[in-house]
């Protein structure tokens, strides 16, 4: 049976005007940042965070996010990471509370220039977290997974064949994933060249995958060679598929959790559809907090048009989650010689990147989505922003 999503939230198409600056290259011609969700949705959610960006078909871009509820996901106050002043020190340790959280989504039909109705998944049920999605290009199906916040944690999957207008009833995957504790699921997920749907759990340091388009799943420990003894693939990791005329490989990038490599992040490469990985020291670095502690942040990752793109806050004197930097690599992620700053030194948390597949006569562009906190400080009223940028700078 198919069920309609809650669709009482309608986003007004208003634009937020911010600046776009380059790091060391020419100015990037683009749209201005806009709010992904409208005022009504933000007010109802108190705070909207952790966007996941997925394209389905030729003209449907979707953002799935966490609608926090009255408790603002446990952070109903001002917060600056690394600021130890009396009114913010209690918030430097992040313990999310998703007991009131719902899964919210919206869709764009014009490559992210505007966003449509905001809708809730699973009938607007509360106590959900960890939403992520993959578009199965083989069978033209949007596959979405999310988990319950309260223990015992359960993981559900829903599918849509009409780009999110209607959904199959939720399927409980908990028994199939019993050997893979699900948690810390932020980060881009992929469909591999063989058609495999590949998901990941940072809590369990494991992957789960389907070779039958999400009908059944198997789990596998995510370990990586190449750094002393084999290490677990830890924390929030983003994945991408790097294609060439002769081969395909999976790449991934994770937080700076290896002590002797910090502040450098970790690159992972797999040649067997995500079952085994080789780890190496990344040229990318995590940002420092103002108190000089390291903020190991999740990073967006995208492979498109023979280039790998990534995005993460650079950090400023006012906080580690500021000044969103989009970088590019033309050697498969080995070096990152060029980058631009998106939206100046404003707040930026979790981010996502999408390739807009332009025509031959059009400029090649990226869709960038990121967490933004109201007036760069307050969690209440926070909601993701999006912007289209060109790639001439790369």
């Amino acid at each position: 049976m198919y069920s309609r999503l809650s669709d009482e939230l309608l986003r007004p198409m208003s634009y937020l005007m911010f600046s776009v600056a380059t790091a060391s290259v020419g100015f990037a011609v683009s749209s201005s940042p806009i709010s992904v969700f409208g005022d009504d949705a933000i007010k109802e959610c108190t705070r909207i965070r952790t966007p996941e960006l997925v394209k389905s078909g030729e003209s449907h871009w979707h953002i799935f996010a966490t609608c926090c509820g009255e408790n603002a996901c446990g952070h109903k106050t001002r917060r600056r990471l690394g600021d130890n002043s009396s009114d913010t020190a209690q918030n430097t340790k992040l313990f999310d509370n998703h007991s009131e959280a719902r899964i919210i989504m919206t869709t764009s039909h014009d490559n992210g220039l505007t966003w449509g109705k905001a809708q809730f998944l699973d009938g607007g049920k509360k106590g959900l977290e960890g939403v992520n999605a993959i578009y199965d290009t083989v069978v033209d199906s949007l596959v979405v997974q999310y988990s319950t916040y309260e223990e015992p944690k359960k993981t559900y999957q829903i599918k849509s064949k009409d780009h999110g207008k209607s959904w199959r009833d939720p399927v409980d995957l908990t028994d199939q994933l019993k050997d893979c504790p699900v948690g810390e699921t932020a980060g881009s997920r992929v469909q591999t060249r063989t058609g495999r749907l590949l998901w990941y759990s940072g809590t369990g340091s494991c992957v789960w995958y389907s070779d039958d388009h999400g009908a059944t799943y198997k789990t596998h420990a995510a370990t990586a060679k190449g750094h002393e003894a084999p290490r677990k693939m830890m924390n929030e990791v983003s994945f991408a598929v790097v294609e060439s005329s002769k081969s395909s490989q999976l790449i991934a990038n994770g937080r700076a959790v290896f002590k002797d490599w910090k502040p450098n992040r970790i690159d992972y490469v797999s040649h067997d559809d995500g079952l085994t990985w080789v780890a190496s020291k990344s040229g990318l670095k995590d940002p420092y907090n103002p108190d000089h502690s390291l903020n190991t942040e999740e990073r967006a990752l995208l492979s498109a048009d023979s280039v790998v793109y990534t995005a993460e806050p650079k950090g400023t004197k006012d906080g580690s989650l500021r000044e969103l930097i989009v970088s590019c690599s033309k050697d498969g992620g080995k070096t990152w010689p060029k980058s631009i700053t998106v939206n100046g030194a404003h707040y930026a948390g979790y981010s996502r990147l999408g390739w807009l597949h332009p025509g031959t006569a059009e400029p090649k562009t990226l869709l960038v989505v990121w967490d933004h906190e109201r007036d760069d400080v307050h969690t209440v009223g926070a909601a993701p922003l999006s912007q289209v940028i060109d790639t001439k700078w790369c």
Side-chain angles (χ1 to χ4, degrees), residues 15-20 30-35 112-113 370 386-388:
Y15 284 80
L16 301 178
M17 303 302 294
F18 292 93
S19 64
V20 181
S30 67
S31 70
S32 297
I34 60 172
S35 179
L113 294 178
W370 67 95
S386 72
Q387 182 170 346
V388 177

Side-chain angles (χ1 to χ4, degrees), residues 52 132 184-189 200 236-238 298 350 352:
E52 300 292 346
N132 219 316
E184 293 179 354
T185 57
S188 53
R189 302 293 171 254
Y200 165 79
E236 295 168 341
V237 177
S238 287
E298 181 270 342
Y350 288 80
R352 285 292 171 270

Side-chain angles (χ1 to χ4, degrees), residues 5-289:
L5 295 177
S6 303
D7 61 358
E8 68 273 18
L9 302 177
L10 180 62
R11 201 198 79 79
M13 305 305 180
S14 59
Y15 284 80
L16 301 178
M17 303 302 294
F18 292 93
S19 64
V20 181
T22 61
S24 57
V25 294
F27 189 81
V29 179
S30 67
S31 70
S32 297
I34 60 172
S35 179
V36 172
F37 297 96
D39 292 341
D40 290 345
I42 297 170
K43 183 178 180 180
E44 179 166 348
C45 293
T46 306
R47 175 192 184 197
I48 303 176
R49 63 187 297 258
T50 58
E52 300 292 346
L53 176 67
V54 179
K55 184 182 183 182
S56 66
E58 293 300 319
S59 59
H60 302 83
W61 282 98
H62 312 281
I63 291 178
F64 301 87
T66 303
C67 167
C68 286
E70 182 64 22
N71 68 356
C73 292
H75 307 290
K76 194 174 181 180
T77 182
R78 58 180 292 170
R79 173 170 58 85
R80 289 178 178 172
L81 290 179
D83 182 348
N84 292 320
S85 59
S86 60
D87 64 337
T88 59
Q90 62 179 337
N91 295 300
T92 60
K93 294 182 178 180
L94 298 181
F95 298 104
D96 294 331
N97 183 336
H98 292 149
S99 60
E100 299 176 1
R102 293 176 285 174
I103 304 302
I104 194 171
M105 70 166 289
T106 185
T107 300
S108 173
H109 301 285
D110 57 7
N111 287 333
L113 294 178
T114 59
W115 296 92
K117 294 180 180 180
Q119 308 175 62
F120 290 113
L121 297 183
D122 204 352
K125 183 186 297 182
K126 293 185 178 181
L128 302 179
E129 65 178 8
V131 65
N132 219 316
I134 299 174
Y135 181 62
D136 188 334
T137 60
V138 178
V139 296
D140 296 324
S141 178
L142 191 58
V143 185
V144 179
Q145 294 183 1
Y146 52 90
S147 300
T148 58
Y149 171 70
E150 300 291 350
E151 301 289 347
K153 188 177 293 292
K154 293 182 177 293
T155 301
Y156 294 95
Q157 176 177 278
I158 56 176
K159 296 181 181 181
S160 174
K161 297 286 286 186
D162 56 9
H163 308 292
K165 293 180 181 178
S166 61
W167 297 85
R168 291 277 187 180
D169 290 336
V171 175
D172 189 344
L173 301 179
T174 308
D175 287 343
Q176 295 185 57
L177 307 184
K178 61 180 182 296
D179 295 325
C180 185
V182 176
E184 293 179 354
T185 57
S188 53
R189 302 293 171 254
V190 293
Q191 182 175 36
T192 70
R193 195 174 194 177
T194 65
R196 171 173 291 177
L197 305 181
L198 184 68
W199 310 80
Y200 165 79
S201 170
T203 296
S205 295
C206 56
V207 297
W208 63 97
Y209 60 94
S210 174
D211 294 323
D212 56 11
H213 309 292
T216 60
Y217 283 90
K218 296 180 180 179
T219 61
H220 188 80
T223 57
K225 300 178 181 179
H227 184 271
E228 301 175 350
R231 298 286 186 92
K232 293 180 178 179
M233 182 185 285
M234 297 177 61
N235 224 296
E236 295 168 341
V237 177
S238 287
F239 297 80
V241 179
V242 178
E243 299 276 8
S244 71
S245 59
K246 296 182 179 179
S247 65
S248 173
Q249 69 177 12
L250 283 173
I251 63 171
N253 186 266
R255 293 181 176 189
V257 294
F258 292 166
K259 183 176 181 180
D260 53 338
W261 286 356
K262 291 182 178 181
N264 291 74
R265 295 173 62 84
I266 306 165
D267 290 331
Y268 303 94
V269 176
S270 174
H271 296 281
D272 59 4
D273 262 12
L275 297 184
T276 61
W277 298 84
V278 175
S280 61
K281 185 178 179 179
S282 179
L284 300 168
K285 297 180 180 181
D286 275 328
Y288 280 99
N289 294 308

Side-chain angles (χ1 to χ4, degrees), residues 239-243 249 251 301-309 355:
F239 297 80
V241 179
V242 178
E243 299 276 8
Q249 69 177 12
I251 63 171
L301 189 67
L302 173 71
S303 176
D305 197 35
S306 302
V307 180
V308 180
Y309 296 93
W355 183 248

